[in-house]
């Protein structure tokens, strides 16, 4: 048996365990979707530069993606409940410090620490449920996981907007800390388990992978600030490539590697792993960045911007059920994935067509709902399909590869999209900023402020009669930058979709509702819901 119980279980309570894990998985995605909405408030309070401010989001995403596999291995070695305790304590303390931090560097550091805690909670929480429940009870438990995590993803932006506007941005992180205290009280009722045959953590692989991802993100974030040709940026990007090459070399020599590089030769496996990358380019980049456009170009409040994002996130609660029905009605997995990819690609292209200053919810509804449907159609289905195309002994490595690629692509692409918007915005402002002496020669400062969702500060430095013209000039340039990013994303999604569907050609094994691959998929579905 994979997981062997190692402690007394007389005080354990499956109901309390399920409630605690569900509450945890409701909280984690709100940090992904809500922090972007809170950024303008944080920037106004801390007077932070954009590159420092962006690490509130990037730090959490980076550590979340990078430490998930290491946390999973540690949980198998030392106990899933112990890892859950460690993750809960780290996340709670980091959230509490986030709520009281006045220095942006400290806030960036503790958000990174929160990402480590989130990685530990996610990996150990799903394993705890898998060892607590069996059969039909396990199926129901993981169905609840999907619904609750989807709700957190859907409501995060709105909740952050309401709290930031009414009580201040600190209340958003304070609420995380308070809710996690409830989780901590439930831990004594959880069952401990570990894998007696688990291999040691692949520390060389972990260090080289995390280092490569960190340097890549840092280079992308600082590129518009330092200049893409600067020695620092070139050095970071080159260092990222070097560490990734070293990572590949290390993995070939490891008896129990973080990634089994042989999986890269499996075409169907790689095709399925690329589907979350399409999700990242079409859907995930909008979560932290689009609210800032609405704050500037529509003069929306944080609450209104977060509420608008519900158009994109609420469909996630419904469309996975539709995907399940389609499979029952005879659709192949490939056909469902094709429908998902079409919706994602069409949605981001549609958004590029309608996005303009003052755009209303009616115009945004079509593309945002289409994007939500696109994600919902592959929500959890990808995990099961991935595990069905690899050998049974490779399912753990396959799931780890999929989820690390998913979260890693999110971290990198969000950083790249934010940097592209700043760079494009600065180039656009260069063409007409001479008309506004207060900002002559300072397009970078203005681009940073606008992309962080703040145009109120820059407007306050100008005479009243100049502000309307300045607003139109800036928002037109911001819109142009957004359209370039959206069309580029649509083109990437289209190219990846064609490649994915080509690699998925041929007969496929249908997932069985009670087969081992399906059961394994249920135990890994929580990571997919954070995409």
């Amino acid at each position: 048996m994979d997981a062997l119980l190692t402690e007394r279980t007389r005080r354990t309570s499956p109901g309390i365990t399920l409630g605690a894990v569900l509450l945890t998985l409701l909280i984690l995605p709100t940090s992904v979707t809500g922090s972007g909405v809170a950024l303008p408030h944080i920037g106004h309070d801390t007077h932070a530069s954009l590159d420092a401010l962006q690490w509130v989001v990037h730090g959490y995403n980076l550590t979340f993606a990078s430490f998930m596999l290491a946390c999973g291995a540690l949980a198998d070695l030392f106990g899933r409940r112990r890892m859950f305790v460690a993750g809960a304590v780290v996340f709670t303390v980091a959230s509490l410090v986030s709520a009281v931090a006045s220095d942006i560097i400290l806030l960036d550091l503790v958000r990174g620490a929160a990402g480590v805690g989130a990685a530990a909670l996610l990996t150990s929480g799903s394993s705890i449920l898998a060892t607590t429940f069996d059969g039909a009870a396990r199926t129901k438990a993981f169905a609840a996981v999907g619904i609750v995590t989807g709700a957190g993803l859907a409501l995060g932006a709105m909740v952050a907007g309401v709290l930031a506007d009414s009580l201040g941005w600190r209340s958003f992180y304070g609420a995380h800390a308070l809710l996690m205290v409830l989780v901590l009280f439930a831990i004594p009722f959880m069952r401990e388990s570990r894998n007696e045959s688990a291999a040691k953590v692949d520390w060389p692989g972990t260090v080289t992978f995390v280092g490569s991802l960190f340097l890549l993100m840092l280079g992308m974030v600082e590129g518009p600030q330092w200049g893409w040709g600067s020695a620092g940026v070139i050095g970071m990007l080159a260092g990222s490539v070097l560490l990734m090459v070293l990572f590949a070399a290390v993995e070939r020599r490891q008896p129990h590697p973080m990634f089994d590089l042989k999986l890269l030769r499996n075409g169907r496996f790689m095709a399925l792993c690329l589907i979350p990358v399409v999700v990242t380019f079409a859907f995930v980049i909008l979560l932290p960045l689009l609210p800032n456009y609405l704050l500037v170009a529509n003069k929306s409040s944080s609450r209104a911007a977060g509420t608008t994002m519900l158009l994109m996130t609420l469909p996630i609660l419904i469309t996975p059920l539709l995907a399940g029905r389609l499979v029952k009605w005879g659709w192949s997995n490939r056909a469902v994935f094709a429908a998902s990819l079409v919706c994602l690609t069409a949605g981001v292209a549609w958004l590029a067509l309608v996005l303009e200053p003052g755009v209303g919810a009616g115009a945004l509804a079509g593309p945002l709902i289409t994007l939500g449907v696109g994600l919902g159609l592959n929500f959890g289905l990808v995990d099961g399909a991935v595990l069905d195309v690899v050998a049974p002994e490779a399912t753990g490595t396959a799931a780890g590869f999929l989820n690390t690629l998913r979260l890693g692509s999110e971290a990198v692409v969000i950083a790249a999209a934010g940097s592209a918007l700043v760079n494009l915005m600065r180039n656009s402002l260069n063409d007409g900023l001479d008309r506004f002496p207060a900002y002559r020669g300072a397009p970078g400062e203005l681009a940073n402020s606008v992309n962080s969702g703040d145009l109120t500060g820059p407007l306050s430095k100008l005479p009243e009669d100049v502000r309307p013209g300045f607003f139109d000039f800036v928002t037109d340039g911001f819109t142009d930058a957004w359209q370039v990013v959206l069309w580029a994303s649509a083109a990437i999604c289209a190219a990846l979709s064609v490649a994915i569907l080509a690699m998925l050609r041929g007969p496929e094994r249908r997932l069985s509702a009670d087969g081992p691959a399906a059961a394994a998929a249920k135990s890994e579905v929580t990571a997919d819901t954070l995409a």
Side-chain angles (χ1 to χ4, degrees), residues 97-98 100-111:
V97 176
S98 298
V100 299
S102 57
D103 179 74
I104 190 62
I105 302 301
L106 175 61
L107 182 59
D108 289 342
L109 291 173
V110 293
R111 293 318 300 156

Side-chain angles (χ1 to χ4, degrees), residues 80-158:
R80 280 74 180 257
R81 193 180 74 169
R82 288 188 181 91
M83 182 55 62
F84 192 87
V85 171
V89 170
V90 170
F91 191 89
T92 303
V93 172
S95 297
L96 184 60
V97 176
S98 298
V100 299
S102 57
D103 179 74
I104 190 62
I105 302 301
L106 175 61
L107 182 59
D108 289 342
L109 291 173
V110 293
R111 293 318 300 156
V116 177
L121 287 166
L122 178 61
T123 54
S124 58
S126 60
S127 295
I128 286 171
L129 292 185
T131 57
T132 301
F133 298 96
D134 293 309
R138 179 187 293 181
T139 300
K140 291 178 181 179
F142 279 100
V145 164
I147 293 171
V148 169
T149 316
L153 185 65
L155 300 175
M158 185 191 70

Side-chain angles (χ1 to χ4, degrees), residues 377-469:
L377 286 175
N378 71 66
F379 202 52
L381 189 62
V382 172
D383 294 74
V386 160
L387 298 175
D388 207 46
V389 299
V390 299
E393 63 272 15
T395 54
T397 302
F401 183 93
L402 171 69
N403 291 321
T404 300
L405 181 62
R406 174 186 286 126
L407 294 173
S409 69
E410 291 175 9
V412 172
V413 174
I414 288 172
S419 295
L421 287 171
V422 172
N423 204 51
L424 290 166
M425 181 71 177
R426 184 171 58 185
N427 292 339
S428 175
L429 293 174
N430 270 330
D431 296 333
L433 205 57
D434 286 344
R435 290 183 290 154
F436 307 98
Y439 287 99
R440 185 177 299 152
E445 174 189 346
L446 182 57
N448 285 341
S449 180
V450 170
N451 199 52
S452 66
D454 179 24
L455 189 54
T456 303
L459 282 172
S460 66
K461 298 180 182 181
L462 299 172
E464 289 282 351
D465 59 329
V466 177
R467 292 180 185 179

Side-chain angles (χ1 to χ4, degrees), residues 461-524:
K461 298 180 182 181
L462 299 172
E464 289 282 351
D465 59 329
V466 177
R467 292 180 185 179
F470 181 75
F471 175 83
D472 291 340
F473 167 69
V474 171
T475 54
D476 286 345
F478 198 22
T479 302
D480 290 343
W482 259 97
Q483 288 175 340
V484 170
V485 169
L486 291 173
W487 282 118
S489 295
I492 293 170
C493 289
L496 286 175
S497 297
V498 171
I500 289 167
L501 295 176
M503 287 189 286
L504 289 177
R505 283 180 181 171
E508 65 180 39
R509 287 187 293 168
R510 301 296 299 276
L511 285 175
S512 170
D514 56 356
K522 292 184 181 76
S523 69
E524 294 293 336

Side-chain angles (χ1 to χ4, degrees), residues 37 72 166 169 184 197 207 261 264 297 332 452 473 497 511 526 530:
V37 176
S166 57
W169 64 269
L184 288 169
S197 62
V207 170
L261 298 179
L264 301 179
S332 66
S452 66
F473 167 69
S497 297
L511 285 175
T526 51
L530 292 181

